Amino acid sequence: MTLFSEIDSKKLPNHVSIIMDGNGRWAKILGKKRTFGHQKGIETVKKIIEESIKLEIKYLTLFAFSKENWERPNYEVKMIMKLLASSVIKYKKTLMENDVKLNTIGDLNDLPLDSKLAIEKVKQLTNKNKKLTLTIALSYSARWEISNAIKKIVSEFDQKKFNAKNINEKLVNNYLCTNNLPYPDLLIRTGGEKRISNFLLWQLAYAELYFCETNWPEFGKNDFYQAILEYQKRERRFGKVN
Ligand code: IPE
Ligand code: IPE
Ligand code: MG
């Protein structure tokens, strides 16, 4: 029995974002290296993309690697970079067949060149796909994104492209990595931690937050449905009175 039939297809979140956490701890429980957890985590990514397509969710954004994650041991970082590139290549056909557009946020220039090129190639290949926009946050952190946005805004202001009085929420949003995406409706974090860890700080302002104990490699379709069912029970007020 799955919870799929309980989901109200008329009340789906348009944009689901996920902090995929707990790979290392999951592997440790099994007495394996952290990298084993990342490998298993890719299988969960595949599963959740499939479920998102099935549910007809339009936007799925996954936090895969933060700016801060570069401070991890070298062997782990190297392995994650390799895994990202090989997975993107491995699944490019599936992305095409399922009309999935691959998008990224973050600084791809931080990545090893071969990983960067592999990802850019698949982004280009899937660019016209429409069913699901899959955004992977790679070398992304919200404070970096916001600082960058300020830098660009100030520079264009200096070039007299706009007046200070024109700076508003819409303008700021145009300078973020997510300017082509709607704000997330739901944020899921696996792995038991109850924090945002520098993810989409601006964009999550009115997202519904859902934290679960399950580590990412074990996060299954029923866990995903559970998060969506919980979202469907929430009353979103956006500061107003319903
Ligand atoms: C999430 O799992 C994946 C990345 C941050 C790359 P972790 O690697 O953070 O796993 P834990 O949180 O240490 O268990
Ligand atoms: C957040 O997880 C980043 C990703 C899932 C890519 P972390 O494991 O880096 O976050 P902290 O260190 O627990 O806050
Ligand atoms: Mg973690």
Side-chain angles (χ1 to χ4, degrees), residues 168-180:
N168 55 22
E169 185 179 325
K170 197 164 168 268
L171 184 137
V172 173
N173 194 53
N174 284 339
Y175 290 83
L176 301 177
C177 310
T178 51
N179 57 37
N180 55 347

Side-chain angles (χ1 to χ4, degrees), residues 41-168:
I42 292 288
E43 289 172 31
T44 307
V45 170
K46 183 169 181 271
K47 196 162 44 188
I48 297 308
I49 295 169
E50 285 165 1
E51 290 309 316
S52 301
I53 294 168
K54 202 161 110 190
L55 286 163
E56 298 186 15
I57 287 168
K58 300 301 293 174
Y59 297 89
L60 176 68
T61 298
L62 305 176
F63 200 5
F65 198 83
S66 72
K67 283 266 176 195
E68 290 76 19
N69 290 150
W70 290 108
E71 304 294 321
R72 291 187 177 199
N74 200 255
Y75 80 91
E76 180 175 346
V77 170
K78 270 197 169 151
M79 183 272 177
I80 293 175
M81 290 303 140
K82 279 215 178 85
L83 189 62
L84 284 167
S86 61
S87 306
V88 160
I89 293 166
K90 185 172 167 193
Y91 295 119
K92 71 173 179 205
K93 198 162 157 249
T94 319
L95 295 178
M96 285 308 289
E97 282 166 2
N98 288 288
D99 202 13
V100 178
K101 173 177 171 168
L102 179 70
N103 179 43
T104 58
I105 53 173
D107 196 349
L108 285 189
N109 290 322
D110 292 341
L111 271 60
L113 190 63
D114 54 342
S115 303
K116 179 189 152 172
L117 292 177
I119 291 161
E120 277 179 344
K121 205 168 152 193
V122 179
K123 272 173 75 173
Q124 209 167 15
L125 179 77
T126 60
N127 189 257
K128 298 224 155 53
N129 291 352
K130 292 233 149 47
K131 201 171 167 75
L132 170 72
T133 299
L134 168 67
T135 301
I136 313 280
L138 271 173
S139 196
Y140 169 88
S141 282
R143 287 176 182 166
W144 162 83
E145 173 187 46
I146 293 169
S147 313
N148 241 359
I150 294 171
K151 230 184 282 172
K152 283 189 230 153
I153 290 170
V154 170
S155 150
E156 296 195 5
F157 173 76
D158 283 346
Q159 296 165 45
K160 305 207 179 337
K161 290 199 179 162
F162 50 79
N163 294 321
K165 68 174 194 299
N166 296 129
I167 300 175
N168 55 22

Side-chain angles (χ1 to χ4, degrees), residues 224-242:
F224 190 48
Y225 301 156
Q226 192 73 60
I228 290 165
L229 285 169
E230 168 68 29
Y231 167 85
Q232 295 191 328
K233 281 191 216 139
R234 306 265 178 98
E235 188 190 26
R236 303 186 77 192
R237 290 189 289 275
F238 302 95
K240 299 168 198 160
V241 178
N242 276 353

Side-chain angles (χ1 to χ4, degrees), residues 19-28 34 37-38 63-66 69 72 76 80 189-191 193 195 215-217:
I19 301 176
M20 310 182 288
D21 198 24
N23 290 352
R25 279 165 286 157
W26 177 81
K28 198 174 169 202
R34 297 177 53 81
H38 299 314
F63 200 5
F65 198 83
S66 72
N69 290 150
R72 291 187 177 199
E76 180 175 346
I80 293 175
R189 181 172 187 147
T190 65
E193 308 295 0
R195 53 178 172 253
N215 289 320
W216 182 248

